[in-house]
Amino acid sequence: MASYNTNEFRSGLKLMIDGDPCAIVENEFVKPGKGQAFNRVKIRNLKTGRVIDRTYKSGESVEAADVMDTEMQYLYNDGEFWYFMDPDSYEQIGADVNAVGENTKWLKEQDTYTVTLWNGSPLTITPPNFVLLTVTETDPGVRGDTSGGGGKPATMETGAVVRVPLFINEGELLKVDTRTCEYVGRAKEED
Amino acid sequence: MASLDILKKRAALLRQVRAFFYARDILEVDTPALSSTGNTDPNIESFTTSYIGPGKNKTLYLHTSPEFSMKRLLADNSGSIYQLCKVFRNGEFGRQHSPEFTMLEWYHLDYDHHQLMDEVALLLDEVLEQTMPIVKLTYQQAFTDYAGIDPLNINLVALKRCAEKHGLVDVIGMEDASTDDWCDLIMDQVVVPKLGQGRVFIYDYPASQAALSKISEDDPRVAERFELFIDGVEIANGFHELTNAKEQRQRFENENIKRKRKGQSPLPIDENLLSALATGLPDCAGVAVGVDRLLMLIAGADSISTVLSASSVD
């Protein structure tokens, strides 16, 4: 089984901790001049998203997690699974609700998402930081109001609800930040 | 990589250090960085290299500190001496570590560790250009106050429980750890963060962590060793120096036994140092100061790489 020595620790490295796949968020080498060295590590559990602190005596080895990120195209949802396709091999894979989680609200057919695979199965789905989506439902636009103050909720074609300026109308294409769920601006199709 | 501003600050710091010792009539020395004997300390890894050429081909080690060669000069009646040099420690790389770094080391004859702590404080006033009160705490007091445990009366179970009580529940790889390993962990993660801002000397370390210091005659449970922390960062380590050759040999041999047990190779013992001690090392105290870390304080730098003109590893 592949493993990593604490000397190889760096952020992003994927490890198996207590049976769960995890990623190193932060690694710090600490050592008194004449004493034992340790690695103080912040680790994110990739299944739960929780971040924990761990201390390793330097020189220890930790089992590697077989985790890889792949870019895949979202196809459809059959009520139980969300299906993604590898654009090179055309291989399809179904992600369950645990993997997709809250990100269902960003899924648009034909668009590309990062599918994190653990032992070949989808672990998490990550949308791009910015997506272009059409407004399907919002209160009528207030003409001339470009102040951006206040705002109103708008439902996007994928189901995400985003706070938008008052002048936005249904049918408009918007650029949205998926990390903060915030409106960025109006967009054109080629953006 | 250091900016021009930091390069200038480094030059100024080295100038101030030299002026400090010149004013005290302490001689600057320049000892070899290569040696045919290594440092047996199991927690310090020497870089190994080979000499090939006229003379005898042999394995050489880059010094991890100029201590042994400086002590030979002391035994040869040099009087008080200091040195500024690069030292090398394999495997040490991080925000506060570089495998090669600049060390200031000095020895003051007829001083004990308390007098030397006072001299270190004077040097700090000059190079940090700020007079500041110092705090002095024994190792025992620091552990009692900040970790709630008496480090001179402990066992593995109590140390583990103490670590857990302070949030260190998931420490991996401690199955074969010694009481000193646990003390290092608690010192680093529990005690030092609570020392706060300012200049704090911790002294009278447990005898098991004596390194090259004298065991106290008043209390054989402790060694006459000190460390300096500034704003929670280890800056210096000093000893009232062990002068007994027989005891020094015993410590080197014990360290090599520990190295073997940990799967490290034992290293050749510095017989030149031991014969110098046998001839007579004058009573003295010595200290090693991390110059790059001092510069980090002066420059307000968060990482040692910021104050180095280039990194040897990255």
Side-chain angles (χ1 to χ4, degrees), chain A residues 159-188:
Chain A
V161 177
V162 178
R163 196 143 190 94
V164 300
L166 295 173
F167 57 79
I168 296 296
N169 283 303
E170 286 179 7
E172 284 195 86
L173 187 69
L174 305 184
K175 186 176 182 182
V176 179
D177 188 328
T178 58
R179 296 162 296 182
T180 56
C181 206
E182 275 170 5
Y183 163 88
V184 179
R186 281 168 158 158
K188 292 197 185 82

PDB file of all heavy atoms in Angstrom, chain A residues 159-188:
ATOM      1  N   GLY A 159     -31.774  25.961  -9.947  1.00  0.00           N
ATOM      2  CA  GLY A 159     -32.409  25.892  -8.634  1.00  0.00           C
ATOM      3  C   GLY A 159     -31.730  26.756  -7.586  1.00  0.00           C
ATOM      4  O   GLY A 159     -32.291  26.996  -6.525  1.00  0.00           O
ATOM      5  N   ALA A 160     -30.506  27.207  -7.871  1.00  0.00           N
ATOM      6  CA  ALA A 160     -29.803  28.048  -6.901  1.00  0.00           C
ATOM      7  C   ALA A 160     -30.538  29.371  -6.760  1.00  0.00           C
ATOM      8  O   ALA A 160     -31.037  29.921  -7.746  1.00  0.00           O
ATOM      9  CB  ALA A 160     -28.374  28.298  -7.370  1.00  0.00           C
ATOM     10  N   VAL A 161     -30.619  29.872  -5.512  1.00  0.00           N
ATOM     11  CA  VAL A 161     -31.233  31.173  -5.279  1.00  0.00           C
ATOM     12  C   VAL A 161     -30.109  32.156  -4.932  1.00  0.00           C
ATOM     13  O   VAL A 161     -29.336  31.917  -4.015  1.00  0.00           O
ATOM     14  CB  VAL A 161     -32.282  31.101  -4.146  1.00  0.00           C
ATOM     15  CG1 VAL A 161     -32.858  32.497  -3.873  1.00  0.00           C
ATOM     16  CG2 VAL A 161     -33.386  30.119  -4.517  1.00  0.00           C
ATOM     17  N   VAL A 162     -30.040  33.228  -5.725  1.00  0.00           N
ATOM     18  CA  VAL A 162     -28.931  34.181  -5.605  1.00  0.00           C
ATOM     19  C   VAL A 162     -29.519  35.564  -5.388  1.00  0.00           C
ATOM     20  O   VAL A 162     -30.529  35.916  -6.004  1.00  0.00           O
ATOM     21  CB  VAL A 162     -28.092  34.170  -6.910  1.00  0.00           C
ATOM     22  CG1 VAL A 162     -26.957  35.189  -6.842  1.00  0.00           C
ATOM     23  CG2 VAL A 162     -27.540  32.774  -7.173  1.00  0.00           C
ATOM     24  N   ARG A 163     -28.899  36.348  -4.516  1.00  0.00           N
ATOM     25  CA  ARG A 163     -29.349  37.732  -4.313  1.00  0.00           C
ATOM     26  C   ARG A 163     -28.800  38.579  -5.478  1.00  0.00           C
ATOM     27  O   ARG A 163     -27.604  38.567  -5.741  1.00  0.00           O
ATOM     28  CB  ARG A 163     -28.831  38.236  -2.973  1.00  0.00           C
ATOM     29  CG  ARG A 163     -29.545  39.456  -2.528  1.00  0.00           C
ATOM     30  CD  ARG A 163     -29.784  39.539  -1.012  1.00  0.00           C
ATOM     31  NE  ARG A 163     -30.707  40.662  -0.774  1.00  0.00           N
ATOM     32  CZ  ARG A 163     -32.026  40.517  -0.685  1.00  0.00           C
ATOM     33  NH1 ARG A 163     -32.574  39.342  -0.730  1.00  0.00           N
ATOM     34  NH2 ARG A 163     -32.803  41.593  -0.496  1.00  0.00           N
ATOM     35  N   VAL A 164     -29.710  39.270  -6.181  1.00  0.00           N
ATOM     36  CA  VAL A 164     -29.301  40.037  -7.370  1.00  0.00           C
ATOM     37  C   VAL A 164     -29.784  41.490  -7.235  1.00  0.00           C
ATOM     38  O   VAL A 164     -30.683  41.774  -6.438  1.00  0.00           O
ATOM     39  CB  VAL A 164     -29.887  39.414  -8.669  1.00  0.00           C
ATOM     40  CG1 VAL A 164     -29.397  37.976  -8.846  1.00  0.00           C
ATOM     41  CG2 VAL A 164     -31.411  39.462  -8.658  1.00  0.00           C
ATOM     42  N   PRO A 165     -29.206  42.401  -8.012  1.00  0.00           N
ATOM     43  CA  PRO A 165     -29.675  43.799  -7.971  1.00  0.00           C
ATOM     44  C   PRO A 165     -31.105  43.901  -8.475  1.00  0.00           C
ATOM     45  O   PRO A 165     -31.590  43.031  -9.209  1.00  0.00           O
ATOM     46  CB  PRO A 165     -28.711  44.522  -8.921  1.00  0.00           C
ATOM     47  CG  PRO A 165     -27.532  43.629  -9.054  1.00  0.00           C
ATOM     48  CD  PRO A 165     -28.046  42.235  -8.888  1.00  0.00           C
ATOM     49  N   LEU A 166     -31.764  44.995  -8.098  1.00  0.00           N
ATOM     50  CA  LEU A 166     -33.179  45.174  -8.420  1.00  0.00           C
ATOM     51  C   LEU A 166     -33.456  45.220  -9.919  1.00  0.00           C
ATOM     52  O   LEU A 166     -34.535  44.860 -10.357  1.00  0.00           O
ATOM     53  CB  LEU A 166     -33.698  46.465  -7.756  1.00  0.00           C
ATOM     54  CG  LEU A 166     -33.699  46.438  -6.215  1.00  0.00           C
ATOM     55  CD1 LEU A 166     -34.072  47.820  -5.669  1.00  0.00           C
ATOM     56  CD2 LEU A 166     -34.678  45.379  -5.692  1.00  0.00           C
ATOM     57  N   PHE A 167     -32.465  45.655 -10.753  1.00  0.00           N
ATOM     58  CA  PHE A 167     -32.727  45.831 -12.193  1.00  0.00           C
ATOM     59  C   PHE A 167     -32.689  44.534 -12.995  1.00  0.00           C
ATOM     60  O   PHE A 167     -32.981  44.512 -14.175  1.00  0.00           O
ATOM     61  CB  PHE A 167     -31.733  46.840 -12.801  1.00  0.00           C
ATOM     62  CG  PHE A 167     -30.285  46.458 -12.617  1.00  0.00           C
ATOM     63  CD1 PHE A 167     -29.696  45.487 -13.439  1.00  0.00           C
ATOM     64  CD2 PHE A 167     -29.507  47.054 -11.624  1.00  0.00           C
ATOM     65  CE1 PHE A 167     -28.372  45.139 -13.269  1.00  0.00           C
ATOM     66  CE2 PHE A 167     -28.188  46.694 -11.457  1.00  0.00           C
ATOM     67  CZ  PHE A 167     -27.606  45.733 -12.272  1.00  0.00           C
ATOM     68  N   ILE A 168     -32.394  43.429 -12.392  1.00  0.00           N
ATOM     69  CA  ILE A 168     -32.286  42.151 -13.111  1.00  0.00           C
ATOM     70  C   ILE A 168     -33.680  41.601 -13.447  1.00  0.00           C
ATOM     71  O   ILE A 168     -34.595  41.650 -12.623  1.00  0.00           O
ATOM     72  CB  ILE A 168     -31.495  41.124 -12.271  1.00  0.00           C
ATOM     73  CG1 ILE A 168     -30.054  41.586 -12.065  1.00  0.00           C
ATOM     74  CG2 ILE A 168     -31.537  39.724 -12.897  1.00  0.00           C
ATOM     75  CD1 ILE A 168     -29.226  41.684 -13.344  1.00  0.00           C
ATOM     76  N   ASN A 169     -33.818  41.059 -14.666  1.00  0.00           N
ATOM     77  CA  ASN A 169     -35.090  40.486 -15.126  1.00  0.00           C
ATOM     78  C   ASN A 169     -34.976  38.996 -15.351  1.00  0.00           C
ATOM     79  O   ASN A 169     -33.872  38.468 -15.536  1.00  0.00           O
ATOM     80  CB  ASN A 169     -35.504  41.147 -16.443  1.00  0.00           C
ATOM     81  CG  ASN A 169     -36.078  42.535 -16.214  1.00  0.00           C
ATOM     82  OD1 ASN A 169     -37.051  42.698 -15.479  1.00  0.00           O
ATOM     83  ND2 ASN A 169     -35.448  43.526 -16.827  1.00  0.00           N
ATOM     84  N   GLU A 170     -36.142  38.335 -15.376  1.00  0.00           N
ATOM     85  CA  GLU A 170     -36.164  36.912 -15.735  1.00  0.00           C
ATOM     86  C   GLU A 170     -35.618  36.749 -17.142  1.00  0.00           C
ATOM     87  O   GLU A 170     -35.795  37.627 -17.989  1.00  0.00           O
ATOM     88  CB  GLU A 170     -37.597  36.367 -15.662  1.00  0.00           C
ATOM     89  CG  GLU A 170     -38.058  36.187 -14.228  1.00  0.00           C
ATOM     90  CD  GLU A 170     -39.488  35.678 -14.132  1.00  0.00           C
ATOM     91  OE1 GLU A 170     -40.093  35.339 -15.162  1.00  0.00           O
ATOM     92  OE2 GLU A 170     -40.004  35.635 -12.990  1.00  0.00           O
ATOM     93  N   GLY A 171     -34.926  35.632 -17.387  1.00  0.00           N
ATOM     94  CA  GLY A 171     -34.401  35.369 -18.716  1.00  0.00           C
ATOM     95  C   GLY A 171     -33.000  35.906 -18.935  1.00  0.00           C
ATOM     96  O   GLY A 171     -32.352  35.586 -19.923  1.00  0.00           O
ATOM     97  N   GLU A 172     -32.494  36.716 -17.987  1.00  0.00           N
ATOM     98  CA  GLU A 172     -31.139  37.259 -18.167  1.00  0.00           C
ATOM     99  C   GLU A 172     -30.102  36.225 -17.748  1.00  0.00           C
ATOM    100  O   GLU A 172     -30.322  35.413 -16.851  1.00  0.00           O
ATOM    101  CB  GLU A 172     -30.969  38.534 -17.330  1.00  0.00           C
ATOM    102  CG  GLU A 172     -31.657  39.727 -17.939  1.00  0.00           C
ATOM    103  CD  GLU A 172     -31.188  41.035 -17.311  1.00  0.00           C
ATOM    104  OE1 GLU A 172     -30.161  41.562 -17.775  1.00  0.00           O
ATOM    105  OE2 GLU A 172     -31.848  41.497 -16.362  1.00  0.00           O
ATOM    106  N   LEU A 173     -28.943  36.292 -18.410  1.00  0.00           N
ATOM    107  CA  LEU A 173     -27.841  35.386 -18.102  1.00  0.00           C
ATOM    108  C   LEU A 173     -26.896  36.100 -17.122  1.00  0.00           C
ATOM    109  O   LEU A 173     -26.452  37.222 -17.382  1.00  0.00           O
ATOM    110  CB  LEU A 173     -27.090  35.032 -19.397  1.00  0.00           C
ATOM    111  CG  LEU A 173     -26.016  33.959 -19.262  1.00  0.00           C
ATOM    112  CD1 LEU A 173     -26.650  32.592 -18.974  1.00  0.00           C
ATOM    113  CD2 LEU A 173     -25.170  33.892 -20.540  1.00  0.00           C
ATOM    114  N   LEU A 174     -26.614  35.427 -15.985  1.00  0.00           N
ATOM    115  CA  LEU A 174     -25.778  36.064 -14.947  1.00  0.00           C
ATOM    116  C   LEU A 174     -24.540  35.227 -14.658  1.00  0.00           C
ATOM    117  O   LEU A 174     -24.536  34.011 -14.821  1.00  0.00           O
ATOM    118  CB  LEU A 174     -26.575  36.205 -13.642  1.00  0.00           C
ATOM    119  CG  LEU A 174     -27.912  36.930 -13.689  1.00  0.00           C
ATOM    120  CD1 LEU A 174     -28.482  37.029 -12.271  1.00  0.00           C
ATOM    121  CD2 LEU A 174     -27.754  38.320 -14.311  1.00  0.00           C
ATOM    122  N   LYS A 175     -23.494  35.923 -14.217  1.00  0.00           N
ATOM    123  CA  LYS A 175     -22.289  35.241 -13.740  1.00  0.00           C
ATOM    124  C   LYS A 175     -22.374  35.185 -12.216  1.00  0.00           C
ATOM    125  O   LYS A 175     -22.609  36.220 -11.570  1.00  0.00           O
ATOM    126  CB  LYS A 175     -21.057  36.035 -14.183  1.00  0.00           C
ATOM    127  CG  LYS A 175     -19.743  35.350 -13.873  1.00  0.00           C
ATOM    128  CD  LYS A 175     -18.586  36.182 -14.432  1.00  0.00           C
ATOM    129  CE  LYS A 175     -17.257  35.488 -14.182  1.00  0.00           C
ATOM    130  NZ  LYS A 175     -16.135  36.299 -14.686  1.00  0.00           N
ATOM    131  N   VAL A 176     -22.210  33.969 -11.663  1.00  0.00           N
ATOM    132  CA  VAL A 176     -22.402  33.781 -10.223  1.00  0.00           C
ATOM    133  C   VAL A 176     -21.169  33.083  -9.634  1.00  0.00           C
ATOM    134  O   VAL A 176     -20.589  32.194 -10.260  1.00  0.00           O
ATOM    135  CB  VAL A 176     -23.667  32.920  -9.958  1.00  0.00           C
ATOM    136  CG1 VAL A 176     -23.875  32.696  -8.465  1.00  0.00           C
ATOM    137  CG2 VAL A 176     -24.894  33.561 -10.581  1.00  0.00           C
ATOM    138  N   ASP A 177     -20.779  33.522  -8.431  1.00  0.00           N
ATOM    139  CA  ASP A 177     -19.670  32.880  -7.716  1.00  0.00           C
ATOM    140  C   ASP A 177     -20.242  31.737  -6.878  1.00  0.00           C
ATOM    141  O   ASP A 177     -21.016  31.968  -5.942  1.00  0.00           O
ATOM    142  CB  ASP A 177     -18.976  33.909  -6.811  1.00  0.00           C
ATOM    143  CG  ASP A 177     -17.709  33.346  -6.190  1.00  0.00           C
ATOM    144  OD1 ASP A 177     -17.650  32.130  -5.929  1.00  0.00           O
ATOM    145  OD2 ASP A 177     -16.775  34.139  -5.960  1.00  0.00           O
ATOM    146  N   THR A 178     -19.867  30.493  -7.218  1.00  0.00           N
ATOM    147  CA  THR A 178     -20.473  29.337  -6.533  1.00  0.00           C
ATOM    148  C   THR A 178     -19.964  29.180  -5.102  1.00  0.00           C
ATOM    149  O   THR A 178     -20.577  28.495  -4.294  1.00  0.00           O
ATOM    150  CB  THR A 178     -20.170  28.033  -7.294  1.00  0.00           C
ATOM    151  OG1 THR A 178     -18.746  27.880  -7.386  1.00  0.00           O
ATOM    152  CG2 THR A 178     -20.764  28.046  -8.684  1.00  0.00           C
ATOM    153  N   ARG A 179     -18.793  29.771  -4.790  1.00  0.00           N
ATOM    154  CA  ARG A 179     -18.236  29.605  -3.440  1.00  0.00           C
ATOM    155  C   ARG A 179     -19.009  30.420  -2.427  1.00  0.00           C
ATOM    156  O   ARG A 179     -19.184  30.034  -1.282  1.00  0.00           O
ATOM    157  CB  ARG A 179     -16.759  30.021  -3.429  1.00  0.00           C
ATOM    158  CG  ARG A 179     -15.897  29.135  -4.304  1.00  0.00           C
ATOM    159  CD  ARG A 179     -14.573  29.782  -4.628  1.00  0.00           C
ATOM    160  NE  ARG A 179     -14.758  30.996  -5.421  1.00  0.00           N
ATOM    161  CZ  ARG A 179     -13.761  31.741  -5.880  1.00  0.00           C
ATOM    162  NH1 ARG A 179     -12.509  31.408  -5.606  1.00  0.00           N
ATOM    163  NH2 ARG A 179     -13.993  32.819  -6.583  1.00  0.00           N
ATOM    164  N   THR A 180     -19.484  31.615  -2.866  1.00  0.00           N
ATOM    165  CA  THR A 180     -20.166  32.513  -1.935  1.00  0.00           C
ATOM    166  C   THR A 180     -21.646  32.632  -2.267  1.00  0.00           C
ATOM    167  O   THR A 180     -22.391  33.254  -1.527  1.00  0.00           O
ATOM    168  CB  THR A 180     -19.545  33.923  -2.028  1.00  0.00           C
ATOM    169  OG1 THR A 180     -19.616  34.341  -3.401  1.00  0.00           O
ATOM    170  CG2 THR A 180     -18.093  33.899  -1.589  1.00  0.00           C
ATOM    171  N   CYS A 181     -22.060  32.042  -3.408  1.00  0.00           N
ATOM    172  CA  CYS A 181     -23.436  32.128  -3.879  1.00  0.00           C
ATOM    173  C   CYS A 181     -23.803  33.589  -4.175  1.00  0.00           C
ATOM    174  O   CYS A 181     -24.931  34.012  -3.960  1.00  0.00           O
ATOM    175  CB  CYS A 181     -24.398  31.526  -2.835  1.00  0.00           C
ATOM    176  SG  CYS A 181     -25.906  30.908  -3.557  1.00  0.00           S
ATOM    177  N   GLU A 182     -22.831  34.371  -4.651  1.00  0.00           N
ATOM    178  CA  GLU A 182     -23.066  35.794  -4.897  1.00  0.00           C
ATOM    179  C   GLU A 182     -23.103  36.131  -6.385  1.00  0.00           C
ATOM    180  O   GLU A 182     -22.370  35.544  -7.184  1.00  0.00           O
ATOM    181  CB  GLU A 182     -21.960  36.639  -4.227  1.00  0.00           C
ATOM    182  CG  GLU A 182     -22.270  36.917  -2.770  1.00  0.00           C
ATOM    183  CD  GLU A 182     -21.087  37.527  -2.033  1.00  0.00           C
ATOM    184  OE1 GLU A 182     -20.065  37.825  -2.687  1.00  0.00           O
ATOM    185  OE2 GLU A 182     -21.201  37.689  -0.803  1.00  0.00           O
ATOM    186  N   TYR A 183     -23.938  37.099  -6.700  1.00  0.00           N
ATOM    187  CA  TYR A 183     -24.038  37.652  -8.049  1.00  0.00           C
ATOM    188  C   TYR A 183     -22.741  38.379  -8.388  1.00  0.00           C
ATOM    189  O   TYR A 183     -22.235  39.142  -7.569  1.00  0.00           O
ATOM    190  CB  TYR A 183     -25.233  38.614  -8.041  1.00  0.00           C
ATOM    191  CG  TYR A 183     -25.312  39.597  -9.179  1.00  0.00           C
ATOM    192  CD1 TYR A 183     -25.947  39.254 -10.370  1.00  0.00           C
ATOM    193  CD2 TYR A 183     -24.782  40.886  -9.037  1.00  0.00           C
ATOM    194  CE1 TYR A 183     -26.040  40.177 -11.406  1.00  0.00           C
ATOM    195  CE2 TYR A 183     -24.877  41.813 -10.070  1.00  0.00           C
ATOM    196  CZ  TYR A 183     -25.499  41.462 -11.256  1.00  0.00           C
ATOM    197  OH  TYR A 183     -25.600  42.370 -12.276  1.00  0.00           O
ATOM    198  N   VAL A 184     -22.200  38.141  -9.591  1.00  0.00           N
ATOM    199  CA  VAL A 184     -20.983  38.845 -10.003  1.00  0.00           C
ATOM    200  C   VAL A 184     -21.327  39.913 -11.028  1.00  0.00           C
ATOM    201  O   VAL A 184     -20.855  41.041 -10.941  1.00  0.00           O
ATOM    202  CB  VAL A 184     -19.934  37.862 -10.584  1.00  0.00           C
ATOM    203  CG1 VAL A 184     -18.689  38.615 -11.042  1.00  0.00           C
ATOM    204  CG2 VAL A 184     -19.570  36.800  -9.564  1.00  0.00           C
ATOM    205  N   GLY A 185     -22.194  39.540 -12.013  1.00  0.00           N
ATOM    206  CA  GLY A 185     -22.565  40.529 -13.028  1.00  0.00           C
ATOM    207  C   GLY A 185     -23.410  39.887 -14.108  1.00  0.00           C
ATOM    208  O   GLY A 185     -23.626  38.669 -14.112  1.00  0.00           O
ATOM    209  N   ARG A 186     -23.873  40.731 -15.025  1.00  0.00           N
ATOM    210  CA  ARG A 186     -24.575  40.214 -16.191  1.00  0.00           C
ATOM    211  C   ARG A 186     -23.538  39.585 -17.106  1.00  0.00           C
ATOM    212  O   ARG A 186     -22.369  39.976 -17.101  1.00  0.00           O
ATOM    213  CB  ARG A 186     -25.269  41.354 -16.930  1.00  0.00           C
ATOM    214  CG  ARG A 186     -26.573  41.777 -16.273  1.00  0.00           C
ATOM    215  CD  ARG A 186     -26.985  43.088 -16.908  1.00  0.00           C
ATOM    216  NE  ARG A 186     -28.410  43.335 -16.758  1.00  0.00           N
ATOM    217  CZ  ARG A 186     -28.920  44.559 -16.827  1.00  0.00           C
ATOM    218  NH1 ARG A 186     -28.155  45.601 -17.048  1.00  0.00           N
ATOM    219  NH2 ARG A 186     -30.229  44.721 -16.678  1.00  0.00           N
ATOM    220  N   ALA A 187     -23.969  38.603 -17.909  1.00  0.00           N
ATOM    221  CA  ALA A 187     -23.004  37.922 -18.770  1.00  0.00           C
ATOM    222  C   ALA A 187     -23.572  37.760 -20.164  1.00  0.00           C
ATOM    223  O   ALA A 187     -24.786  37.789 -20.366  1.00  0.00           O
ATOM    224  CB  ALA A 187     -22.661  36.562 -18.190  1.00  0.00           C
ATOM    225  N   LYS A 188     -22.658  37.595 -21.104  1.00  0.00           N
ATOM    226  CA  LYS A 188     -23.065  37.246 -22.468  1.00  0.00           C
ATOM    227  C   LYS A 188     -22.704  35.777 -22.640  1.00  0.00           C
ATOM    228  O   LYS A 188     -21.809  35.262 -21.977  1.00  0.00           O
ATOM    229  CB  LYS A 188     -22.305  38.103 -23.482  1.00  0.00           C
ATOM    230  CG  LYS A 188     -22.690  39.574 -23.449  1.00  0.00           C
ATOM    231  CD  LYS A 188     -22.218  40.256 -24.737  1.00  0.00           C
ATOM    232  CE  LYS A 188     -22.463  41.748 -24.714  1.00  0.00           C
ATOM    233  NZ  LYS A 188     -21.403  42.482 -23.986  1.00  0.00           N
TER     234      LYS A 188
END
